[in-house]
Each structure stands twice: as structure tokens, then as C-alpha cells.
């Protein structure tokens, strides 16, 4: 008998023995709660192990299509990921990296694109999630191109399928970084059109400002300019106001202001 035939014969014997044992177990089966919980634990453990192994070796780029279709259906606009999607789950601080994220506008907006983000990274703390708390140690956005629209009827392109009057609840953010952002605002209610740039770093740069928003446009038919500067967007929390300095000019009116704004995002953010 060859070595190969020997291994085949041994495998056949093992298979026959295992099959006879399983058949005997089921023939002599008697229900007990101990056995029920034992087999339940085995099945649940096997499913969890399979899920962990699948997530660990998963190529997240294959999930770009399903994720984009789900978000598009949920928010009523096209959402897609045209670049790489990388997810690091098995860490005390999981991380998501997205390249070339496209977010469309609702159908009533003439311009199809609402936002195009070249690169974004979001990190979150794992343990608070088990308590239902979302805490983001880092939100980094590189080269975002964003269009904000409100029409004469009050519809906004940042709301979902149903217009909600409740403010967005912004989770606590430890570091909020924006690099080379481009922002366009078209507000038919306030007759405002604004085009500007936005940047946020961890340290003060030019003119001792870590956050800058500069641009110009029109307001009620007059030329409008804005220069807003503030400190780093660190420890962003809806319960803590963010202080800033602003130089605004519309026609012959010029305003230099120093104030604060809450972190809630809605049409009526509180400014002091």
C-alpha cells in the first residue's frame, strides 16, 4: 500500500468513527437545559469568532458600494466613495480613513454636488461606545469643497429626507482639523452669496489664528466681505461655546465683533 493510500484509508476510518459517534449522540439524545446552554454557547462563540475573523481580513474597499447605496437611500441624495476606504477596528481607538468622498445635493438644488472631500480621517474611542457615548479624538478633513444652500422656502441642502427643526447634536471632538477648505454659501432667505476659504490647525498661524474663514460675496445686493478668526478647534463640545473674532463689511457698513457660538449646528446657532 502506498503512503497516499495509507493516508486516505486513515482519513476514511476517522470520518467513519466521527459519523458513528454523531449518529449515536442523536439516537441517545435527551433534552437537558445544561446541554441546551452548552450548545447555544458553542454556536454563539463560533458565530462571534467567524465575525471577528471576517472583519479582520475584510477588504473594506469592497464595502464602498453597499455603504454608498445605504447612505444615498437614507439621506435622499447620492453618496459615494471614489477612493480608498480603510477601517481599523481592532484598537482602543478605531480609525476610519476615506479618500474622495462625494456627497450630492437633493434633487431641488440646481448644482449636483453638495460636498467633495479629498481625504477625511475620523477616530473614536471604543470604551465609551459601550455606554452609548460617541467621543471623537480626531476629525481631520483635507481639501473639502462644500456648497451650503437654503432656498426662499427655507429648504436646506444639509437636512435629510425630512426637514427637522432640531439642532444636530455634535459629539465631543478633541481635535478638529481642516486643511485648504473651500466654502460656498447661497442663502435666498438672507439674500447672501458667499465664497471663501476655511482652515483649522492645532497651532496659531498667521495673525495668531488657528481657525480662519475668509471670503467675499454679496449680501442684500451689497458687496460683502468676512474675515473670521479663532483659536484651535480643540475639545469641541456642544456644552462649551467657541470664541472668535470677526471683521464683516457689507456696503458702507463695517463691523468688528468678538463673540462666541455654541457647537450645535442648526439655522439658529446662538451667537453672543
Amino acid at each position: 500500500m502506498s503512503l497516499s493510500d495509507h493516508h486516505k484509508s486513515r482519513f476514511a476510518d476517522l470520518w467513519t468513527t466521527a459519523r458513528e459517534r454523531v449518529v449515536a449522540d442523536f439516537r441517545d439524545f435527551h433534552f437537558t437545559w445544561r446541554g441546551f446552554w452548552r450548545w447555544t454557547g458553542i454556536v454563539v462563540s463560533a458565530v462571534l469568532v467567524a465575525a471577528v475573523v471576517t472583519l479582520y481580513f475584510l477588504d473594506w474597499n469592497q464595502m464602498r458600494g453597499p455603504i454608498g447605496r445605504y447612505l444615498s437611500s437614507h439621506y435622499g441624495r447620492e453618496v459615494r466613495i471614489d477612493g480608498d476606504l480603510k477601517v481599523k477596528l481592532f484598537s482602543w481607538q478605531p480609525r476610519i480613513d476615506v479618500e474622495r468622498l462625494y456627497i450630492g445635493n437633493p434633487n431641488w438644488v440646481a448644482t449636483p454636488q453638495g460636498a467633495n472631500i479629498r481625504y477625511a480621517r475620523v477616530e473614536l474611542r471604543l470604551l465609551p461606545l459601550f455606554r452609548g457615548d460617541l467621543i471623537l479624538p480626531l476629525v481631520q478633513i483635507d481639501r473639502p469643497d462644500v456648497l451650503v444652500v437654503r432656498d426662499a422656502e427655507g429648504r436646506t441642502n444639509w437636512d435629510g429626507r425630512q426637514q427637522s427643526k432640531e439642532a444636530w447634536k455634535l459629539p465631543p471632538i478633541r481635535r478638529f482639523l481642516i486643511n485648504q477648505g473651500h466654502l460656498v454659501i447661497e442663502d435666498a432667505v438672507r439674500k447672501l452669496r458667499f465664497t471663501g476659504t476655511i482652515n483649522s490647525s492645532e497651532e496659531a498661524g498667521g495673525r495668531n489664528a488657528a481657525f480662519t474663514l475668509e471670503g467675499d460675496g454679496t449680501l442684500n445686493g451689497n458687496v460683502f466681505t468676512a474675515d473670521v478668526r479663532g483659536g484651535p478647534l480643540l475639545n469641541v463640545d456642544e456644552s462649551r461655546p467657541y470664541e472668535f473674532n470677526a471683521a464683516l463689511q457689507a456696503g458702507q457698513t463695517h463691523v468688528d465683533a468678538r463673540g462666541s457660538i455654541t457647537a450645535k449646528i442648526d439655522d439658529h446657532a446662538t451667537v453672543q
Side-chain angles (χ1 to χ4, degrees):
M1 178 182 294
S2 66
L3 183 60
S4 177
D5 292 339
H6 175 73
H7 284 299
K8 290 180 179 180
S9 176
R10 181 173 178 80
F11 177 78
D13 292 341
L14 291 174
W15 170 251
T16 301
T17 302
R19 184 178 59 184
E20 291 176 351
R21 177 172 295 180
V22 170
V23 171
D25 287 343
F26 275 95
R27 185 176 58 244
D28 301 332
F29 174 76
H30 296 286
F31 177 82
T32 63
W33 281 110
R34 179 180 179 183
F36 171 79
W37 291 117
R38 176 171 173 266
W39 280 104
T40 300
I42 292 174
V43 171
V44 171
S45 299
V47 171
L48 290 176
V49 169
V52 170
V53 172
T54 300
L55 290 174
Y56 185 82
F57 291 102
L58 179 64
D59 181 2
W60 284 93
N61 280 331
Q62 296 180 354
M63 299 300 296
R64 293 178 300 179
I67 292 174
R69 288 190 292 271
Y70 170 78
L71 294 176
S72 299
S73 175
H74 184 73
Y75 291 105
R77 69 200 64 202
E78 182 182 9
V79 179
R80 68 175 189 263
I81 301 173
D82 295 328
D84 288 336
L85 172 62
K86 299 178 181 178
V87 180
K88 182 182 178 182
L89 287 179
F90 298 95
S91 169
W92 293 114
Q93 193 160 295
R95 183 179 72 230
I96 302 173
D97 294 277
V98 181
E99 294 181 359
R100 292 158 52 201
L101 174 62
Y102 175 92
I103 303 174
N105 273 320
N107 294 331
W108 56 267
V109 181
T111 305
Q113 177 179 298
N116 197 324
I117 300 174
R118 181 65 60 89
Y119 170 80
R121 168 176 287 187
V122 178
E123 297 181 359
L124 55 147
R125 291 179 180 169
L126 182 61
L127 292 180
L129 282 177
F130 294 108
R131 302 193 302 267
D133 298 327
L134 177 61
I135 299 177
L136 306 178
L138 172 65
V139 174
Q140 177 182 340
I141 304 175
D142 290 347
R143 300 181 68 179
D145 188 359
V146 180
L147 171 65
V148 178
V149 178
R150 178 163 60 174
D151 67 4
E153 299 177 4
R155 294 181 299 179
T156 59
N157 69 334
W158 63 81
D159 282 324
R161 290 184 179 273
Q162 298 181 351
Q163 300 290 315
S164 174
K165 296 184 179 299
E166 294 183 359
W168 293 2
K169 291 187 177 181
L170 192 67
I173 301 175
R174 176 69 180 88
R175 298 156 61 206
F176 196 172
L177 309 179
I178 303 173
N179 181 38
Q180 298 181 22
H182 179 257
L183 175 65
V184 175
I185 301 176
E186 297 178 358
D187 189 341
V189 174
R190 292 188 171 90
K191 298 181 180 180
L192 167 67
R193 177 174 176 82
F194 176 82
T195 301
T197 59
I198 182 171
N199 289 278
S200 172
S201 61
E202 294 184 271
E203 298 179 357
R207 296 170 60 181
N208 294 322
F211 172 82
T212 61
L213 172 61
E214 300 175 288
D216 55 37
T218 58
L219 176 63
N220 292 323
N222 297 315
V223 175
F224 173 74
T225 62
D227 186 348
V228 182
R229 299 178 182 272
L233 295 178
L234 301 179
N235 297 311
V236 178
D237 193 321
E238 64 178 10
S239 63
R240 300 175 58 184
Y242 174 75
E243 297 183 352
F244 65 91
N245 296 316
L248 309 175
Q249 183 168 351
Q252 301 299 318
T253 303
H254 181 85
V255 177
D256 288 319
R258 181 176 182 179
S260 61
I261 186 170
T262 63
K264 287 187 177 181
I265 304 175
D266 63 356
D267 292 346
H268 309 287
T270 303
V271 181
Q272 300 176 341

